[in-house]
Amino acid sequence: MSTELPPVAPEVLAEAVESLTARLRKKLDDATAGCADAATRETDGSVTFRFGEDAVVTLRPGPAGTVTAAGQATCTCLLAPRCLHRAAALGAAPLADAAPPEPEPEPVPESAGSAAAGTERAPAAASAEAEAEGASDEPAESGPALTAAQLGAAAALWHAAAEALAAGVTAGGAVVQAELLRAAHTARLAGLPRAEAAALRVVRGLRAARERRTAHRLGDLTGSFRELLHTAGVLASGTAGPALTGTSRRAYTPGGSLQVQGLCREPVLSATGYGGVVTHLLAPDGSRYSISDVRPGGLARARGAGRASVALGGATLDHAGLARGGLRIVGATVSAEGRLGAGRGVKATPLPGAAWTDGPAAPLFARPAAEAVAELLAAPAEAAETETALIGCDVTVVGATGDHLLVREAVPHAPLLRLLPAHPHPELPHTENLRRIASYPGLRLRVLGRPDLDRAATLRPVAVGPVPGAQYTLRLPEDWLGRADLGYDRLQGEHFPAPDAATEAAGEAGPVPAADAPDPLADAPLWRVRRLLETGVAGGRRAVAEAARGTAAQAACGPLRRAGLTAAADLATALAAEADRRPRDAFGRLADPSPDGYAWAWLAAATHLAAAERSLVAASWTATPNGATPAAP
């Protein structure tokens, strides 16, 4: 069993790789492989790596458990600290977040402005993929001009990202990753935290792909590259607004007195070792709020935090009680995303809970899901992907197919919806609960979930409950107040209706077999563009050039043009041509070695594909006269 390695700050690893000679850099990937298995944890908390008789690397993490300074990584060899052993050991360790979470300071009066308000660093990633901030297709907001340092940092990050894209996963080893980390650190120092976060996601994706981790998805890494290139490119042009520059800390402003009701809770599990819970709340006017408790600890912390005490104004509730209760808050502090702060001036008093059928939660289930999704798709990407973007609907279970649970919304001519686990980790009960629900065709269900805007008609439920007035629906305990949190509560046989009512109710699921559910996103010829883009991410520029030579380019673009997707065909053709463009001078040397042209061509095709797929996702939620999902172009 390998020793768990302490996270390493990105700038420490970048500096270690940068100090190596060209000869040692070529050996770095081989030296890094297997380091984690050879690590040993000492009694003082340090971790040692033995490279032969005379070279022992020691990592001594700080109080937060992270290696944040170069002096915390030492080697006993004669070349230290500019040695291969030290860089390999640092490269084998996981990447730390840009900065450790900080406690929320006291809020300042509202007159001081939100810029000076108390702040708290955003948590790592939630089950709703809270780390992902997808590139926005909205026009940039007007704001202060970028400084020369910011423009320079953005240009350096663009160049590093373009080089990494041209290399692809196959050649995107430790040296390429270190260049990205160095550029990310420069962006951080220049005050561009969103650009830094995008670069760190790409580096983590490259690592996962090269290590062949089971959780790695090439599509996710492709999306990370698209976001990084979009962010760096717009920033380098000097036209970016506040939405792209971002903020590394969440500003809190005074919110006065609030009264909120619990809606549900869900576990938070980050790829960087953070775990916890977020509880969603609603005010009487429908405003959405949340309280989170996210700290280092991973899965164990995510599982246990569901019953952790709520650290807000002395409230005597845990998150399980708050999810089915309420709070009256005096002196509240609120972030722009609706996160409630826990400053010393905040006072909170518990209130009785309310069922989903009463109070502020009722309007969530009063309109078709298609309307709520259309509202999210019309909003800026950042707003659509926040943890509060939950929608509700009443559905009838159709059945399971693959990893999907198919349901049909209880509105006329509704399309089939796919339910996927909000978090697929096997130690969390999401998947098990959906699997049990799938065994009851015809079951009426009230679902609260987050739309997956990257998939056709897909909802990731975080909580479920019985449909009021329905006979064949859930039978939950009274103290659950009519809902089950799928990430914490485990549905048992006693929570479902008796089997003798199943035969009659199964007919309500509709005549469409589960296996025949159409997927316009998968069926559209746009998959050819997606495959070309993912080929570039996996194999680099050379792989795109090879894939587009001969008759392959015509075979790929022909179906696109016949389907009327001429812009996609033109962009794919331009990408293939740019990938294969390698002009040389009279001596056979590359005349234009810069990867900028290829990166711009790739980004243009990726941005168009994302917009086209978003249109298909929007159409998949739209009701049709016969209840079928709209056909793909």
Side-chain angles (χ1 to χ4, degrees):
M1 181 176 176
S2 60
T3 301
E4 183 178 356
L5 303 182
V8 173
E11 61 270 21
V12 175
L13 174 57
E15 182 181 0
V17 176
E18 189 178 23
S19 67
L20 297 178
T21 63
R23 181 179 63 85
L24 291 180
R25 290 186 184 187
K26 294 179 181 179
K27 301 180 179 181
L28 182 56
D29 288 332
D30 291 336
T32 302
C35 273
D37 296 330
T40 303
R41 182 167 294 277
E42 307 297 337
T43 56
D44 61 354
S46 63
V47 177
T48 59
F49 304 78
R50 183 168 294 278
F51 295 86
E53 293 294 331
D54 301 323
V56 177
V57 177
T58 304
L59 302 184
R60 294 184 176 86
T66 302
V67 177
T68 57
Q72 294 174 339
T74 59
C75 181
T76 60
C77 79
L78 296 177
L79 293 179
R82 300 180 178 182
C83 63
L84 181 64
H85 316 113
R86 180 172 174 270
L90 289 171
L95 282 179
D97 287 334
E102 303 176 19
E104 181 202 352
E106 284 297 297
V108 299
E110 189 171 4
S111 59
S114 60
T119 55
E120 175 187 83
R121 190 183 180 277
S127 60
E129 304 294 340
E131 281 189 331
E133 295 180 4
S136 172
D137 296 326
E138 298 294 318
E141 302 176 15
S142 60
L146 271 65
T147 65
Q150 289 177 322
L151 291 174
L157 187 57
W158 165 267
H159 180 72
E163 292 281 4
L165 178 68
V169 171
T170 54
V175 175
V176 171
Q177 294 170 26
E179 292 296 329
L180 270 174
L181 293 177
R182 170 62 68 184
H185 182 59
T186 303
R188 175 188 175 189
L189 296 179
L192 301 174
R194 175 168 176 174
E196 180 203 18
L200 294 183
R201 278 192 289 275
V202 168
V203 173
R204 291 190 176 105
L206 286 173
R207 283 187 165 198
R210 291 177 62 83
E211 294 170 8
R212 302 181 185 275
R213 299 178 193 168
T214 55
H216 163 69
R217 290 182 64 247
L218 187 58
D220 292 338
L221 181 55
T222 302
S224 297
F225 262 112
R226 185 187 73 241
E227 180 195 353
L228 174 58
L229 290 169
H230 172 268
T231 303
V234 176
L235 287 172
S237 70
T239 60
L244 275 185
T245 53
T247 176
S248 59
R249 305 180 74 192
R250 176 173 284 111
Y252 283 76
T253 57
S257 297
L258 292 176
Q259 181 174 316
V260 293
Q261 290 288 334
L263 187 61
C264 66
R265 61 189 162 138
E266 61 173 321
V268 174
L269 187 58
S270 161
T272 55
Y274 285 81
V277 63
V278 57
T279 298
H280 301 280
L281 309 165
L282 277 177
D285 62 356
S287 300
R288 304 191 185 193
Y289 300 94
S290 65
I291 296 177
S292 67
D293 182 3
V294 181
R295 302 175 189 175
L299 176 64
R301 179 115 201 352
R303 296 174 63 180
R307 292 196 171 274
S309 297
V310 176
L312 183 70
T316 57
L317 280 177
D318 59 16
H319 281 271
L322 179 58
R324 296 182 173 94
L327 285 176
R328 180 179 288 110
I329 307 171
V330 178
T333 57
V334 187
S335 75
E337 299 86 357
R339 187 72 57 83
L340 295 177
R344 276 180 286 178
V346 179
K347 304 297 181 184
T349 305
L351 295 174
W356 281 353
T357 54
D358 304 320
L364 291 177
F365 306 94
R367 62 172 176 169
E371 292 184 10
V373 172
E375 184 176 296
L376 288 176
L377 289 170
E382 293 82 4
E385 292 168 357
T386 62
E387 62 189 25
T388 55
L390 299 174
I391 68 171
C393 57
D394 292 345
V395 301
T396 301
V397 174
V398 174
T401 172
D403 59 346
H404 300 104
L405 168 60
L406 291 180
V407 299
R408 191 182 295 280
E409 190 179 1
V411 296
H413 312 305
L416 285 173
L417 305 182
R418 297 166 175 81
L419 302 188
L420 284 177
H423 203 297
H425 197 288
E427 296 297 323
L428 296 175
H430 293 96
T431 301
E432 179 185 344
N433 283 331
L434 288 185
R435 186 180 298 116
R436 186 175 288 271
I437 292 172
S439 63
Y440 290 84
L443 183 73
R444 298 292 304 279
L445 201 65
R446 176 157 282 187
V447 177
L448 183 71
R450 184 174 292 105
D452 189 335
L453 302 182
D454 293 326
R455 297 172 180 260
T458 299
L459 190 67
R460 295 187 180 270
V462 297
V464 296
V467 174
Q471 295 297 318
Y472 192 61
T473 188
L474 292 176
R475 305 284 191 264
L476 300 180
E478 290 186 7
D479 59 346
W480 286 19
L481 281 183
R483 67 259 204 182
D485 298 327
L486 295 179
Y488 289 105
D489 301 321
R490 293 185 181 271
L491 296 175
Q492 306 295 335
E494 61 187 14
H495 299 145
F496 291 88
D500 56 3
T503 304
E504 180 179 352
E508 300 179 15
V512 180
D516 293 342
D519 187 345
L521 199 60
D523 297 340
L526 287 169
W527 66 266
R528 292 173 168 84
V529 182
R530 190 183 314 116
R531 185 171 65 180
L532 183 64
L533 294 171
E534 292 180 353
T535 297
V537 170
R541 178 174 183 168
R542 182 175 300 178
V544 174
E546 291 292 340
R549 285 176 184 159
T551 60
Q554 296 178 354
C557 293
L560 291 169
R561 298 188 187 281
R562 287 192 295 272
L565 300 170
T566 55
D570 291 341
L571 290 170
T573 302
L575 172 60
E578 183 62 34
D580 202 27
R581 189 182 67 83
R582 308 286 282 180
R584 299 182 181 272
D585 60 19
F587 298 97
R589 297 171 299 191
L590 288 176
D592 182 18
S594 172
D596 286 358
Y598 170 74
W600 281 118
W602 188 94
L603 178 58
T607 302
H608 180 274
L609 175 65
E613 290 183 335
R614 200 173 182 89
S615 298
L616 286 175
V617 169
S620 69
W621 287 86
T622 304
T624 56
N626 61 359
T629 304

